[in-house]
């Protein structure tokens, strides 16, 4: 088989993709494997050789041995923040997330400005007292039960892999994104929560359907996959 690496840094319209099977049917006449970091509906695997890749981890979360032990023992279900997201809000789906911000429920949605994070958000700590967030993205991820992974300029988001690195359960909002690898290798339903972009405001209905045992299992699987 011929392996073609297609790194889709910008999804763009389908005609931008020279390796798009729909736009280039000749690809289906040969033993060609299309490998893409941003597999979308425009280049959904039509060949059994095609494969999506996970986004690279730009900001991995440094977990201590105690943090890792808490993931394995389910103690991580007691993390101080229920749901967090830090980033820009250029895309409409991300703008919807702003309506979820609720420090009283340990839900933190933070803005990211030109390389720095807004530190004005206030969250409630594990013992019920309010505390100022230090604005550190990786620290917040490592203290989160769930982490928002909404699509942005592209369908994929680096936060997907970064959430896994911090032992947070990814909550994906990216209609049409084909998640990495084949389902026979990774069943993402056992690792991540996938919510349609139209249902962002119903996020906590979806998360509330998970038992503590299911959350612990998803967290373990996700962190093991990341390693």
């Amino acid at each position: 088989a011929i392996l073609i690496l297609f790194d889709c840094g910008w999804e763009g319209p389908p005609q931008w993709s020279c390796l798009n099977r729909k736009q280039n049917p000749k690809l289906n006449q040969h033993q060609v494997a299309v490998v893409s970091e941003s597999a979308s509906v425009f280049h959904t695997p039509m060949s059994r050789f095609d494969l999506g890749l996970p986004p690279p981890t730009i900001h991995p979360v440094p977990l201590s041995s105690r943090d890792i032990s808490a993931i394995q023992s389910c103690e991580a279900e007691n993390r101080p923040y229920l749901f967090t997201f830090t980033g820009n809000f250029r895309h409409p789906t991300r703008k919807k997330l702003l309506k979820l911000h609720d420090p009283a429920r340990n839900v933190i949605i933070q803005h990211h400005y030109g390389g720095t994070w807004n530190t004005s958000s206030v969250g409630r700590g594990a013992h019920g007292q309010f505390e100022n967030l230090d604005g550190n993205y990786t620290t917040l991820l490592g203290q989160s039960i769930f982490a928002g992974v909404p699509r942005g300029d592209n369908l994929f988001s680096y936060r997907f892999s970064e959430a896994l690195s911090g032992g947070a359960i990814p909550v994906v909002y990216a209609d049409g994104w084909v998640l990495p690898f084949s389902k026979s290798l990774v069943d993402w339903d056992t690792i991540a929560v996938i919510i349609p972009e139209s249902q962002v405001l119903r996020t906590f209905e979806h998360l509330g359907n998970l038992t503590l045992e299911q959350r612990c299992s998803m967290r373990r699987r996700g962190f093991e996959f990341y390693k």
Side-chain angles (χ1 to χ4, degrees), residues 8-217:
C8 183
W10 178 264
E11 85 198 47
Q15 62 267 25
W16 288 7
S17 170
C18 62
L19 300 183
N20 184 316
R21 288 185 179 277
K22 293 182 181 179
Q23 297 291 324
N24 294 277
K26 288 184 178 180
L27 288 175
N28 300 315
Q29 300 174 9
H30 306 282
Q31 293 292 310
V32 175
V34 177
V35 180
S36 172
E37 178 182 284
S38 182
S40 74
V41 291
F42 294 140
H43 35 89
T44 299
M46 298 175 65
S47 163
R48 63 190 180 91
F49 299 112
D50 289 355
L51 190 69
L53 294 177
T57 309
I58 305 299
H59 301 289
V61 179
L63 295 178
S64 67
S65 57
R66 182 176 180 178
D67 294 330
I68 295 173
S69 177
I71 292 173
Q72 301 301 327
S73 68
C74 297
E75 186 182 347
E77 302 314 308
N78 296 317
R79 287 180 170 189
Y81 301 108
L82 173 63
F83 180 95
T84 65
F85 172 74
T86 302
N88 67 64
F89 295 90
R90 289 190 295 267
H91 193 275
T93 296
R94 293 190 174 198
K95 290 179 180 178
K96 293 179 186 177
L97 280 178
L98 286 169
K99 296 181 180 180
L100 301 182
H101 180 70
D102 187 354
R105 295 180 60 190
N106 303 324
V107 177
I108 303 299
I109 310 298
Q110 287 193 123
H111 289 268
H112 170 251
Y113 295 110
T116 61
W117 278 268
N118 177 15
T119 58
S120 63
S121 299
V122 177
R124 188 183 295 273
H127 303 292
Q129 297 182 347
F130 283 95
E131 59 185 359
N132 288 319
L133 296 179
D134 63 6
N136 187 300
Y137 169 61
T138 56
T139 298
L140 194 59
L141 267 184
Q143 297 177 353
S144 301
I145 295 173
F146 296 98
V149 183
R151 63 152 303 156
D153 297 328
N154 301 293
L155 271 177
F156 75 93
S157 172
Y158 299 119
R159 284 161 185 77
F160 183 76
S161 300
E162 291 166 352
L164 294 175
S165 78
I169 298 172
V171 182
V172 180
Y173 313 89
D175 298 350
W177 183 26
V178 180
L179 292 177
F181 305 120
S182 65
K183 194 164 186 176
S184 61
L185 182 62
V186 183
D187 183 358
W188 289 111
D189 290 333
T190 66
I191 293 177
V193 179
I194 302 169
I195 299 177
E197 292 179 49
S198 63
Q199 296 184 26
V200 169
L201 300 183
R202 297 179 58 190
T203 290
F204 298 112
E205 293 180 38
H206 291 274
L207 303 187
N209 291 330
L210 297 173
T211 65
L212 291 178
E213 290 76 15
Q214 288 174 313
R215 284 172 19 180
C216 180
S217 176

